[in-house]
Amino acid sequence: MIPTTSLFAPVDDDLRLLTDNLKNLVGARHPILAAAAEHLFEAGGKRVRPAIVLLVSRATMLDRDITPRHRRLAEITEMIHTASLVHDDVVDEAELRRSVPTVNSLFDNRVAVLAGDFLFAQSSWYLANLDNLEVVKLLSEVIRDFAEGEIQQGINRFDTSISLEAYLEKSYYKTASLIANSAKAAGVLSEQSAEVNHHLYNYGRNLGLAFQIVDDILDFTSPTEVLGKPSGSDLISGNITAPALFAMKENPYIEVLIEREFSQEGDIEKALDFIHSSQGILRSKELANQYGQSALKHLDCLASSPSKEVLIELVDYVLSRIY
């Protein structure tokens, strides 16, 4: 697998600047919010989302340097993503993320919810200050989509009648919307044509869906120390993802275990065994690959550049995590 540091080479300097700026941007007046933000931005994320914004910015500006507004868009993207993770962890009652204690476990749920709200509010303020109505609309939609995705996930817990389409819609809301809309927003700031921006959106959408499906596969196949959370934790919390959906079609008994919310001893182990012995993981890999290949086609609209090459390699990087 390509290490992310070398993968993002054309924007490495941009990402270093972004990390320094994020802590200053939050500028929380309250010490607990400041401590929460500091912890979040130190927690060792790969910065994939702002990297995509910076790569699209450089791939669409070519011989011109990217503008302060492109950089600010990348920072806003990471703030929105981080805010969504904080709320996610509260809803999931997660104690670890990337093997680091979550804000809710370090402080408490109340502080975590407020920290997430604060980051959403700060990102909205900086977004408005970009003075570009189309970009404001694109990123505001992302914030709405996050809430929609959380609500759908909450309503569908342990619901074995959920369809693959509903799962993909929720995955779009929770993961792909940010990547799609921020990639398009970078194109808007570079004054690209509507057609190019449409392709940038679809690159992000397909990459985001592949990314989420891969994450959902890893929830079943990666050991706890790699995931930074217990294996199978999505299923345990009632979140039914692609591998389980495909496996249930082969073995309906998995539905029985899920519907009784793994209340009997050995239920979760049985369910995990059934999923591993089914075609569920293989079919999920095929689905992720389909979205990855679709993402690549939408890059044909860009002229050749080092940043475009990385956007192509990023698809391989996302898919290589499952092999």
Side-chain angles (χ1 to χ4, degrees):
M1 191 193 295
I2 317 162
T4 43
T5 45
S6 67
L7 177 64
F8 295 145
V11 292
D12 271 351
D13 291 341
D14 300 324
L15 286 170
R16 269 192 287 277
L17 190 62
L18 174 130
T19 303
D20 293 339
N21 273 354
L22 279 171
K23 291 173 207 163
N24 300 332
L25 282 184
V26 172
R29 293 181 199 91
H30 194 286
I32 286 191
L33 280 181
E38 181 90 10
H39 168 71
L40 289 164
F41 295 132
E42 286 289 347
K46 293 190 211 59
R47 308 264 190 256
V48 170
R49 290 153 189 82
I52 292 169
V53 170
L54 292 162
L55 288 163
V56 169
S57 301
R58 291 208 171 274
T60 49
M61 293 294 278
L62 293 177
D63 50 350
R64 294 168 294 161
D65 198 15
I66 61 172
T67 67
R69 293 204 296 174
H70 286 110
R71 292 184 187 282
R72 184 49 50 90
L73 175 64
E75 290 156 6
I76 290 165
T77 300
E78 185 68 350
M79 285 172 84
I80 292 173
H81 171 57
T82 304
S84 75
L85 295 184
V86 179
H87 282 176
D88 249 4
D89 290 338
V90 173
V91 171
D92 298 344
E93 298 174 357
E95 293 191 3
L96 289 176
R97 178 174 289 277
R98 307 182 192 119
S99 301
V100 174
T102 54
V103 176
N104 45 300
S105 66
L106 275 183
F107 301 94
D108 60 32
N109 277 352
R110 197 168 50 96
V111 170
V113 169
L114 291 172
D117 289 349
F118 179 73
L119 284 174
F120 275 131
Q122 281 289 72
S123 61
S124 300
W125 190 82
Y126 285 114
L127 187 57
N129 279 283
L130 288 177
D131 282 332
N132 185 306
L133 186 57
E134 191 176 354
V135 171
V136 171
K137 285 178 176 176
L138 288 168
L139 274 290
S140 299
E141 196 173 305
V142 171
I143 296 172
R144 187 192 66 192
D145 286 347
F146 273 134
E148 179 81 28
E150 273 302 335
I151 291 163
Q152 279 192 12
Q153 187 166 302
I155 289 169
N156 294 328
R157 282 179 76 231
F158 300 106
D159 178 4
T160 55
S161 68
I162 182 177
S163 64
L164 185 66
E165 290 68 35
Y167 157 76
L168 289 169
E169 183 182 58
K170 183 209 72 183
S171 299
Y172 171 77
Y173 287 144
K174 291 198 66 177
T175 302
S177 172
L178 177 61
I179 299 172
N181 285 297
S182 60
K184 181 178 179 180
V188 170
L189 292 179
S190 298
E191 299 178 347
Q192 296 295 297
S193 68
E195 186 188 355
V196 168
N197 291 337
H198 173 74
H199 283 300
L200 291 171
Y201 169 86
N202 279 300
Y203 167 78
R205 179 183 178 276
N206 285 292
L207 180 70
L209 288 170
F211 194 96
Q212 186 57 55
I213 296 162
V214 166
D215 256 11
D216 293 337
I217 293 166
L218 292 175
D219 190 55
F220 290 101
T221 59
S222 282
T224 301
E225 57 272 19
V226 174
L227 277 185
K229 60 178 183 174
S231 188
S233 59
D234 278 339
L235 189 64
I236 295 164
S237 64
N239 181 19
I240 303 169
T241 59
L245 283 169
F246 287 128
M248 283 191 306
K249 290 214 167 24
E250 277 179 59
N251 186 343
Y253 186 62
I254 298 170
E255 291 180 31
V256 176
L257 301 172
I258 293 170
E259 280 165 7
R260 68 183 185 214
E261 300 188 12
F262 311 114
S263 55
Q264 295 183 24
E265 198 174 333
D267 274 2
I268 190 67
E269 290 78 11
K270 274 186 210 156
L272 291 172
D273 283 347
F274 288 143
I275 291 164
H276 279 286
S277 61
S278 76
Q279 295 290 301
I281 288 166
L282 179 67
R283 290 187 66 191
S284 301
K285 285 180 178 179
E286 288 167 356
L287 187 62
N289 265 309
Q290 280 170 27
Y291 281 111
Q293 296 318 306
S294 296
L296 288 174
K297 288 177 191 153
H298 288 286
L299 290 176
D300 292 345
C301 66
L302 297 176
S304 188
S305 72
S307 292
K308 178 186 175 177
E309 282 311 304
V310 177
L311 290 168
I312 292 168
E313 284 171 29
L314 192 52
V315 175
D316 275 347
Y317 165 70
V318 166
L319 296 173
S320 71
R321 293 160 68 221
I322 43 177
Y323 293 103

